[in-house]
Amino acid sequence: MTDDHLRETSVEQRVLHRGRFINFRIDTVEDPQGKRHTREVVEHPGAVCVIPIVDDDMLLVRQWRTPVARVVLELPADTLDLLPEGGTEDPDAAAPRELAEETGHRAASWRKLGRFWTAPGFTEEEMHLY
């Protein structure tokens, strides 16, 4: 069995807004039955997230988040920097930088746990987890 009955083909992309590191666009797609639909998409360069363990405890950071209008506890995470020559920074280099910036800690050892899409229903953001 294949997933061909689920596959949508992009027939048009229209950028609504270009931001510093994210863009908003509307995609028109065609499903296998030939019906057209629109999809709202957030283009994102990707990010890193670190699960720091200090003395058998997970280290979290407190940050104000405007979309939810409150301070939240989070794992240290950040968007990958866009490079002047194009592309994004290496996630393996971004993770230690982010841990140091947000917590002041440096890890004795590193292990990449995997990667995943944070919310594939509306964004292409891929998170690299360490």
Side-chain angles (χ1 to χ4, degrees):
M1 182 169 167
T2 70
D3 291 334
D4 290 344
H5 66 288
L6 300 172
R7 194 171 312 278
E8 296 177 340
T9 304
S10 179
V11 294
E12 180 186 8
Q13 292 182 344
R14 184 170 46 99
V15 176
L16 302 175
H17 173 76
R18 290 195 187 281
R20 276 186 312 121
F21 65 92
I22 61 173
N23 300 322
F24 301 94
R25 72 174 200 253
I26 300 288
D27 286 4
T28 300
V29 298
E30 190 171 282
D31 67 24
Q33 291 75 39
K35 290 184 182 175
R36 291 197 174 187
H37 312 273
T38 58
R39 303 287 184 241
E40 297 173 351
V41 179
V42 176
E43 297 175 352
H44 191 285
V48 294
C49 181
V50 180
I51 304 174
I53 305 298
V54 179
D55 299 326
D56 294 329
D57 289 322
M58 186 171 26
L59 182 64
L60 301 174
V61 293
R62 295 170 52 84
Q63 299 202 69
W64 175 263
R65 293 301 187 191
T66 299
V68 294
R70 66 184 63 202
V71 172
V72 296
L73 284 173
E74 301 178 343
L75 291 165
D78 198 15
T79 300
L80 296 173
D81 288 341
L82 297 173
L83 302 175
E85 63 275 9
T88 57
E89 72 179 310
D90 179 5
D92 292 346
R97 172 188 55 78
E98 183 56 24
L99 178 64
E101 284 178 5
E102 287 201 5
T103 70
H105 286 264
R106 299 200 185 286
S109 64
W110 285 91
R111 180 169 48 139
K112 187 166 187 176
L113 300 174
R115 58 191 182 151
F116 59 95
W117 286 282
T118 58
F122 71 89
T123 184
E124 59 190 20
E125 178 186 17
E126 183 179 36
M127 181 72 72
H128 300 263
L129 185 61
Y130 294 83

